[in-house]
Amino acid sequence: MGVMSCSKRDCENIMCDTYVDGVGYVCWECKDMFKQWMSTSETHPGRIKQEFEAFMNEHKSDFSFYDASFLVDEFFEQYTNR
């Protein structure tokens, strides 16, 4: 297994174990940031991947919140290696 760098714009984290098809690798920190971002949104559950793609293209420094969302955890579970 090689070093998997986070695909989030401006993120320098490595050793990611979650890969989302068509988007790339995502680290634990960016997953947490995405959860918070989604918790403030009224996005339909079927649009999580589209929202995630948009989130990954934004600069990491534009986000400064942490929280959790069960729905987003389920989304990442399907892409995480065990």
Side-chain angles (χ1 to χ4, degrees):
M1 178 183 227
V3 176
M4 310 318 184
S5 299
C6 184
S7 299
K8 171 88 173 128
R9 194 171 184 183
D10 301 328
C11 184
E12 296 179 3
N13 290 330
I14 58 172
M15 302 306 292
C16 304
D17 63 354
T18 302
Y19 179 80
V20 179
D21 295 332
V23 181
Y25 286 96
V26 60
C27 68
W28 66 270
E29 184 177 26
C30 290
K31 287 194 284 188
D32 284 346
M33 291 171 72
F34 180 64
K35 290 176 198 178
Q36 177 60 31
W37 190 51
M38 287 296 292
S39 72
T40 64
S41 170
E42 294 184 16
T43 301
H44 184 276
R47 291 196 38 87
I48 293 177
K49 187 170 183 180
Q50 290 85 355
E51 292 294 328
F52 181 65
E53 290 170 352
F55 168 82
M56 292 296 280
N57 286 318
E58 296 293 327
H59 290 279
K60 186 171 183 173
S61 60
D62 292 343
F63 300 93
S64 61
F65 34 60
Y66 294 90
D67 195 9
S69 169
F70 181 73
L71 187 59
V72 176
D73 282 338
E74 288 180 344
F75 168 74
F76 284 125
E77 268 306 307
Q78 64 185 328
Y79 295 104
T80 302
N81 293 327
R82 297 268 181 250

